[in-house]
Amino acid sequence: MPKITISVIKADIGSIGGHVRPSQKLLEAVENYIKQKGRGLILDYYLNFTGDDVSILSTHRRGVLDSKIHRLCWEALVAGTKAAKSQGLYAAGQDLLKEAFAKNVKGMGPAVAEMEFEERPAEPFLFFQADKTDPGAFNLPLYLGFADPMHCSGLMLSPKIKKGFKFVVMDVNYTQADKIIELNVPEDLYDLAALLRDPERFVIESIFSRASGEQAVAASTTRLRNIAGKYVGKDDPVMLVRVQSDFPATGEILSPFAIAPYVAGFMRGSHTGPLMPVKKNSTISYFDGPPIISGLGFCVKNGKLTEPVDLFDQPFWDEVRKRASIKAKEIRAQGFFGAAMLPYSELEYGGIVETLKALEKKFKIRK
Ligand code: 13P
Ligand code: 13P
Ligand code: MG
Ligand code: MG
């Protein structure tokens, strides 16, 4: 059987009532475009939104970074932007940063996560989409889910998983090309931790099984500020995770999300907030947040997708959400102070630069 490719292309193209959620009309415009123009090109698709971001998940046989697939999704997002403008939605076309489509959407604004592989007889995979945060938010859950037996019991219990995983980590501050490092766990575990502790600079791009060489994870790494040169919105990442047999079980991947770790994002992409696991198609509220993540489970056969299962729609996660709300209120209690806001390096693409430049001139060195 030829390989299949799963592609997720995601963008914020405008939303109702601020940065809250896309409109029905916008979603319909994107879906209609994919349905009509995707015929003969894609095998199946699923349209999703989390907060104000819309994602197009498609299956096809054209491989990653395929210009026809990317163009189809780009043009669907352009059609959605047109609908957004017609309704006066806020920040219509926010993430479409370039005018003309070139080869693929990399470097044009939308986030991309894609994987090409030979389908296993049973092919379960998970699709995560986060809003009001950035790609580094996945560093901790992926580290714990693939490299820590406290969460991934398969590292002790399954001979195949015990062989460990190869992590590919990107230095997202380097903008001329992709700058990556490959680290194998368990041997390189501490080096991996040393990089992943800095999620604004080092971001997991992919993970591979060392037993089979098969790819388990593809995650988006876009940093919009590096394309736009200013703050235009957060990078709201997406990722695909293949699970079971050679890979961690679904529940091992979900386990770290119970921490609701503090991540970068929240209001104006400038604060620290807890990552709250939410149900499908959740919206944004308190302080333009909190940062949220949705998780959908699928199986795929010959490119045909099952209906999704909503992974965080289960009573267990109600308590996690409640605790995330408490964590959000706790850190918000200190407003702009210290750890509640991101360091200057993360804010330097925003308006605070002008204020600080003006103040710099007023500083005096005491004689
Ligand atoms: P305004 O441009 O309305 O101040 O909003 C800023 C913002 O929300 C950044 O995305
Ligand atoms: P988004 O990146 O989700 O558009 O959020 C922007 C923002 O500034 C929210 O306050
Ligand atoms: Mg937005
Ligand atoms: Mg968003």
Side-chain angles (χ1 to χ4, degrees):
M1 212 46 197
K3 290 181 171 181
I4 69 151
T5 308
I6 304 180
S7 299
V8 177
I9 293 181
K10 180 242 69 164
D12 177 346
I13 50 172
S15 50
I16 311 176
H19 296 278
V20 177
R21 65 151 280 176
S23 68
Q24 209 50 47
K25 189 170 169 182
L26 179 163
L27 294 167
E28 277 161 20
V30 175
E31 176 147 22
N32 286 340
Y33 195 92
I34 295 288
K35 222 187 252 171
Q36 283 166 24
K37 304 290 167 105
R39 228 172 272 144
L41 201 57
I42 57 174
L43 299 169
D44 207 352
Y45 73 93
Y46 185 82
L47 199 71
N48 189 53
F49 74 86
T50 296
D52 62 2
D53 296 290
V54 185
S55 61
I56 306 161
L57 187 156
S58 65
T59 61
H60 54 91
R61 299 208 188 273
R62 304 185 57 86
V64 302
L65 292 174
D66 180 74
S67 69
K68 282 194 174 154
I69 298 293
H70 280 229
R71 182 186 284 278
L72 172 73
C73 295
W74 173 265
E75 284 173 356
L77 294 167
V78 170
T81 299
K82 220 167 131 194
K85 285 187 176 153
S86 79
Q87 288 186 296
L89 297 195
Y90 190 68
Q94 176 180 288
D95 291 354
L96 306 187
L97 300 178
K98 300 275 153 89
E99 284 297 322
F101 180 88
K103 283 202 320 263
N104 58 60
V105 302
K106 270 209 163 163
M108 298 187 73
V112 192
E114 297 183 289
M115 241 194 284
E116 185 184 30
F117 55 86
E118 209 165 295
E119 276 179 4
R120 299 170 288 173
E123 187 58 64
F125 73 92
L126 316 180
F127 164 43
F128 293 96
Q129 182 173 347
D131 188 30
K132 304 300 181 264
T133 185
D134 59 22
F138 294 151
N139 279 9
L140 182 66
L142 289 176
Y143 170 85
L144 296 174
F146 281 86
D148 185 347
M150 296 285 278
H151 290 266
C152 181
S153 58
L155 293 167
M156 298 177 293
L157 301 175
S158 154
K160 282 193 279 189
I161 295 179
K162 198 179 169 183
K163 294 214 165 72
F165 293 91
K166 179 178 83 180
F167 284 69
V168 182
V169 176
M170 187 178 286
D171 177 350
V172 294
N173 277 5
Y174 188 81
T175 51
Q176 283 95 308
D178 288 352
K179 183 178 174 189
I180 57 144
I181 185 170
E182 298 186 355
L183 293 171
N184 287 313
V185 294
E187 327 60 296
D188 301 330
L189 190 73
Y190 300 156
D191 289 340
L192 182 65
L195 295 179
L196 299 186
R197 61 136 232 106
D198 185 358
E200 307 321 312
R201 172 149 184 212
F202 300 108
V203 169
I204 296 170
E205 180 211 55
S206 51
I207 301 177
F208 296 80
S209 158
R210 293 175 76 187
S212 64
E214 284 285 299
Q215 187 168 1
V217 172
S220 65
T221 53
T222 323
R223 298 234 54 193
L224 293 171
R225 63 173 205 195
N226 293 340
I227 304 170
K230 61 175 199 276
Y231 177 72
V232 288
K234 216 54 184 169
D235 305 298
D236 305 340
V238 286
M239 71 168 166
L240 294 165
V241 183
R242 292 168 77 200
V243 288
Q244 306 294 151
S245 60
D246 283 357
F247 308 125
T250 301
E252 290 168 337
I253 297 300
L254 297 182
S255 171
F257 290 102
I259 297 168
Y262 285 114
V263 295
F266 225 164
M267 176 60 72
R268 295 178 189 269
S270 306
H271 294 79
T272 299
L275 186 62
M276 179 189 275
V278 293
K279 297 177 192 178
K280 182 163 118 59
N281 298 351
S282 284
T283 61
I284 289 299
S285 181
Y286 170 67
F287 201 59
D288 276 9
I292 56 174
I293 180 157
S294 65
L296 302 179
F298 291 91
C299 279
V300 58
K301 189 83 183 174
N302 300 322
K304 204 86 201 140
L305 297 164
T306 59
E307 71 273 26
V309 53
D310 191 348
L311 299 167
F312 296 126
D313 184 3
Q314 208 270 349
F316 172 84
W317 299 98
D318 293 340
E319 185 274 338
V320 177
R321 284 189 270 272
K322 210 169 264 171
R323 201 154 32 77
S325 297
I326 293 166
K327 287 180 75 167
K329 278 172 62 189
E330 284 295 334
I331 196 149
R332 286 308 313 134
Q334 68 179 65
F336 64 80
F337 183 70
M341 272 192 98
L342 299 181
Y344 181 74
S345 56
E346 282 305 304
L347 305 182
E348 66 190 337
Y349 292 80
I352 202 166
V353 175
E354 300 309 316
T355 304
L356 293 177
K357 258 192 214 150
L359 289 174
E360 181 58 33
K361 289 190 196 121
K362 296 187 184 171
F363 271 93
K364 292 188 177 74
I365 295 174
R366 198 176 273 147
K367 296 268 158 50

